[in-house]
């Protein structure tokens, strides 16, 4: 699938496994549904196939919520047979290495498979460095991933079940990318406790809380001996910060802290312009959140975060304890909500993955700050259509548009429509386009518009998840094409 995408294939088909989170809502991974623009079909028990629409793509995690129509009564039980959450009151402890589970899912050909497996480890994925050879794709962060002692074949996905049939984890496919830019996939399990926490989407505004940080794990031994945590108790009082410190608390001790695993959370990267920018620093160790110790990894932190409500934190920083306060933001569904095809250049607003990696060119960020262009400034070219004016003049994807004929381009509304022409084949005046790539190299190229065959076309995602195609006013054929689905 990745090869088809990189070669410019017009149609890319993907398949994956999901489960019913509640009646009418299916959970799957971002490998199966990487973006909201596309046709999605869901097959239940290899008997009934229904159309689905993308309800929510989690901005931080490898989860997608799909809305499906009501199922026939005879299939409703079958669909929940292996996926029904443990609502019978059976309590399961944290998944430890060696825990025996049952895998139920599909292989790469879509055949149902069952296999006995056991847990090898549960840990946060390592921080992903910025990619010098190209912009990054989505990568999982801030969620403990379960690995198996008996690796399953490539592209198997499904559910990991306890012996009583209750869900232990969702075994999904994750996107990954090497430092040289090579793309691929890996498999891993998202524990049920994390699923329940991560799927708490605000139904009213379709948002989830975000802190704007990437976390990593360090061992308790490294905390004690390399960072000097043991020397803290007798020498260092609690330090308050000027940006709204919480009330002073007694210095933390490991005997009180008692992490569920011999690791603690450390800040690996702070997103520029995010909620934690200017408050948290790289290397901060999270000790307390909302007055309670962060014992259960990321879950203990995310469960206490609410958009717009101050979150009191206590961190271990440079041999001292600091009491801080930050306000989580509300992140909406990931993926483009609007797409413009301009002279054959497929353009979107700056993808979230680029902003998180901190590789948006400085000129784009400065323009956004000065003009208030919003949370996703800049126009980014994700693909160039074959045979289009943009392709014939040598323009490439992975560039930002800075100017068109000297006019700044800060959002999709700034793209000028191609002028109407009286007859096919008549070309418009040349257009000079200034671009910049993700590492700041600028260039100037000239396009010769073809407004008949390559007008400005926009795709808008509606509130119900459907997409509408329209031609902006001033474009040839706009009256006949406006508001066409």
């Amino acid at each position: 699938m990745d090869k088809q995408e990189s070669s410019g294939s017009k149609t890319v088909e993907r398949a994956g496994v999901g489960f019913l989170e509640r009646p009418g809502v299916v959970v799957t991974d971002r490998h199966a549904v990487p973006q909201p623009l596309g046709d999605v079909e869901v097959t239940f028990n290899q008997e009934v196939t229904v159309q689905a629409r993308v309800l929510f793509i989690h901005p931080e995690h490898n989860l997608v919520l799909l809305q499906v129509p009501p199922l026939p009564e005879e299939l409703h039980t079958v669909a929940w047979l292996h996926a029904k959450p443990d609502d019978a009151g059976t309590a399961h402890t944290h998944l430890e290495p060696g825990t025996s589970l049952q895998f139920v899912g599909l292989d790469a050909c879509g055949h149902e498979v069952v296999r006995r497996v056991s847990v090898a480890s549960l840990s946060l994925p390592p921080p992903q460095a910025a990619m010098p050879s190209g912009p990054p794709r989505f990568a999982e962060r801030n969620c403990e991933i379960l690995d198996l002692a008996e690796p399953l074949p490539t592209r198997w996905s499904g559910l990991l079940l306890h012996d009583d049939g209750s869900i232990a984890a969702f075994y999904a496919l994750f996107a990954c990318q090497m430092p040289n830019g090579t793309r691929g996939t890996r498999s891993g399990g998202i524990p049920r406790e994390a699923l329940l926490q991560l799927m708490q989407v605000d139904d009213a505004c379709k948002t989830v809380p975000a802190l704007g940080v990437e976390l990593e794990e360090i061992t308790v031994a490294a905390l004690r001996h390399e960072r000097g945590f043991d020397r803290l108790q007798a020498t260092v009082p609690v330090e308050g910060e000027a940006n709204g410190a919480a009330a002073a608390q007694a210095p933390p001790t490991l005997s009180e802290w008692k992490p569920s695993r011999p690791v603690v959370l450390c800040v690996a990267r702070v997103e520029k312009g995010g909620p934690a920018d200017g408050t948290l620093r790289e290397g901060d160790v999270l000790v307390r959140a909302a007055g309670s110790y962060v014992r259960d990894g990321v879950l203990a932190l995310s469960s206490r975060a609410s958009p717009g409500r101050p979150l009191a934190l206590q961190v271990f920083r440079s041999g001292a304890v600091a009491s801080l306060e930050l306000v989580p933001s509300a992140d909406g569904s990931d993926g483009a909500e609007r797409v413009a095809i301009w002279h054959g250049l497929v353009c979107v607003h700056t993808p979230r993955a680029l902003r998180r990696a901190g590789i948006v060119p400085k000129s784009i960020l400065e323009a956004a700050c000065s003009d208030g262009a919003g949370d996703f400034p800049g126009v980014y070219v994700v693909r160039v259509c074959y045979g289009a004016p943009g392709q014939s003049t040598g323009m490439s994807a992975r560039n930002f548009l800075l100017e068109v004929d000297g006019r700044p381009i800060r959002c999709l509304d700034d793209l000028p429509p191609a002028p109407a022409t009286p007859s096919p084949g008549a070309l418009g005046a040349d257009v000079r386009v200034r671009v910049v790539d993700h590492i700041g190299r600028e260039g100037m190229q000239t396009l010769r518009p073809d407004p008949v065959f390559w007008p400005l076309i926009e795709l808008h995602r509606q509130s119900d998840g459907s997409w509408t195609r329209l031609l902006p006013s001033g474009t040839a054929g706009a009256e006949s094409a406006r508001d066409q689905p």
Side-chain angles (χ1 to χ4, degrees):
M1 297 304 175
D2 292 331
K3 290 182 179 179
Q4 289 181 338
E5 288 179 356
S6 61
S7 64
S9 173
K10 295 181 180 178
T11 302
V12 177
E13 295 183 358
R14 290 177 177 238
V17 171
F19 64 94
L20 278 168
E21 189 263 336
R22 57 183 181 269
V25 178
V26 171
V27 179
T28 187
D29 57 43
R30 293 179 57 136
H31 180 267
V33 184
Q35 61 180 7
L37 179 57
D39 294 324
V40 181
E41 294 181 342
V42 178
T43 299
F44 293 94
N45 200 40
Q46 300 182 347
E47 294 183 22
V48 175
T49 298
V50 297
Q51 288 289 130
R53 71 178 181 89
V54 178
L55 194 63
F56 188 81
I57 298 180
H58 204 293
E60 288 219 12
H61 301 294
N62 188 28
L63 295 172
V64 178
L65 301 184
L66 304 176
Q67 187 173 54
V68 296
L71 297 176
E73 195 64 32
E74 60 271 18
L75 284 179
H76 196 272
T77 303
V78 174
W80 279 82
L81 180 61
H82 297 299
K84 189 173 183 180
D86 177 23
D87 54 8
T90 304
H92 294 289
T93 58
H94 294 285
L95 295 172
E96 302 289 345
T99 302
S100 180
L101 301 171
Q102 188 89 347
F103 171 81
V104 178
L106 300 179
D107 61 15
C109 298
H111 301 142
E112 186 174 353
V113 289
V114 179
R115 181 172 293 187
R116 200 72 186 176
V117 295
S118 60
V119 177
S121 64
L122 183 66
S123 61
L124 282 180
Q128 190 171 29
M131 307 301 170
S133 61
R137 65 193 305 193
F138 168 81
E140 181 62 66
R141 68 177 192 175
N142 300 345
C143 179
E144 288 92 350
I145 304 301
L146 181 150
D147 290 315
L148 299 177
E150 304 83 8
L152 297 173
T154 304
R155 296 184 186 268
W156 281 29
S157 58
L159 294 171
L160 298 174
L161 308 177
H162 292 288
D163 290 337
D164 62 0
S166 61
I167 294 178
F170 174 40
Y171 196 73
L173 293 174
F174 293 81
C176 61
Q177 189 171 19
M178 301 296 108
N180 61 2
T182 303
R183 296 184 172 190
T185 57
R186 67 176 290 263
S187 300
I190 304 177
R192 177 176 176 268
E193 292 77 8
L195 287 172
L196 294 175
Q197 181 62 241
L198 301 178
M199 291 188 301
Q200 292 183 0
V201 181
D202 188 322
D203 292 333
C205 52
K206 296 294 187 296
T207 58
V208 293
L211 300 178
V213 296
E214 184 171 3
L215 304 173
E216 62 179 341
E217 294 176 340
I218 63 172
T219 64
V220 172
L223 174 68
R224 298 176 64 181
H225 302 293
E226 296 178 12
R227 305 203 179 198
F229 187 82
D230 282 346
R231 297 189 296 273
L232 169 71
Q233 320 310 329
T235 59
V236 183
V238 174
E239 173 193 349
E241 291 286 310
N243 62 341
Q249 296 174 312
T253 63
L254 286 174
S255 60
E256 296 176 350
W257 193 346
K258 296 180 181 177
S260 59
R261 294 186 292 127
V263 293
V264 293
L265 296 180
C266 178
V267 177
R269 181 183 296 121
V270 178
E271 182 180 331
K272 292 182 180 179
D277 192 12
T279 302
L280 290 175
R281 305 175 188 171
E282 293 184 7
D284 284 352
V285 177
L286 301 182
V287 181
R288 289 187 177 104
S292 301
Y293 282 106
V294 181
R295 292 190 175 95
D296 298 325
V298 179
L299 285 179
L301 183 63
S302 59
S303 63
R304 299 180 176 94
S306 298
R309 296 183 179 180
L311 177 65
L313 296 175
Q314 190 182 68
V315 301
F316 179 65
R317 172 189 296 173
S318 302
V321 172
S323 295
L324 315 170
E325 186 178 88
L326 62 83
V327 180
S329 63
D331 274 9
S333 179
D334 205 6
E337 300 287 323
R338 184 179 172 191
V339 180
I341 304 175
W342 184 73
H343 300 306
L345 306 179
V346 182
C347 304
V348 298
H349 287 133
T350 305
R352 186 181 271 116
L354 270 68
R355 298 182 69 248
R356 283 186 173 160
I359 57 175
V360 177
K362 185 178 180 180
S363 56
I364 296 292
L365 293 176
E366 289 178 345
C369 293
S370 61
D371 294 353
D375 291 336
F376 294 93
V379 174
Y380 183 69
V381 181
V382 295
R383 188 179 297 275
V384 180
C385 300
Y386 288 136
Q391 189 266 339
S392 61
T393 54
M395 293 196 69
S396 59
R398 301 180 178 180
N399 283 326
F400 293 87
L401 302 184
L402 289 179
E403 293 179 356
V404 174
D405 285 339
R407 175 184 175 183
I409 302 297
R410 299 183 179 89
C411 64
L412 293 178
D413 289 332
D414 293 333
L415 292 175
T421 55
S423 61
L427 302 179
D430 289 350
V431 175
R432 293 175 62 83
V433 182
R434 187 161 70 96
V435 299
V436 60
D437 63 16
H438 62 280
I439 58 176
R441 296 176 298 191
E442 295 190 10
M444 183 75 76
Q445 291 181 293
T446 302
L447 298 178
R448 173 150 297 183
D450 186 347
V452 174
F453 295 102
W454 295 98
L456 172 61
I457 298 176
E458 291 192 18
L459 302 175
H460 290 251
R461 190 182 185 207
Q462 307 302 309
S463 58
D464 63 355
S466 63
W467 287 80
T468 299
R469 178 180 67 90
L470 60 88
L471 298 176
S473 59
T475 304
E479 294 302 322
S480 61
R482 181 172 294 275
D483 296 332
Q484 293 294 318

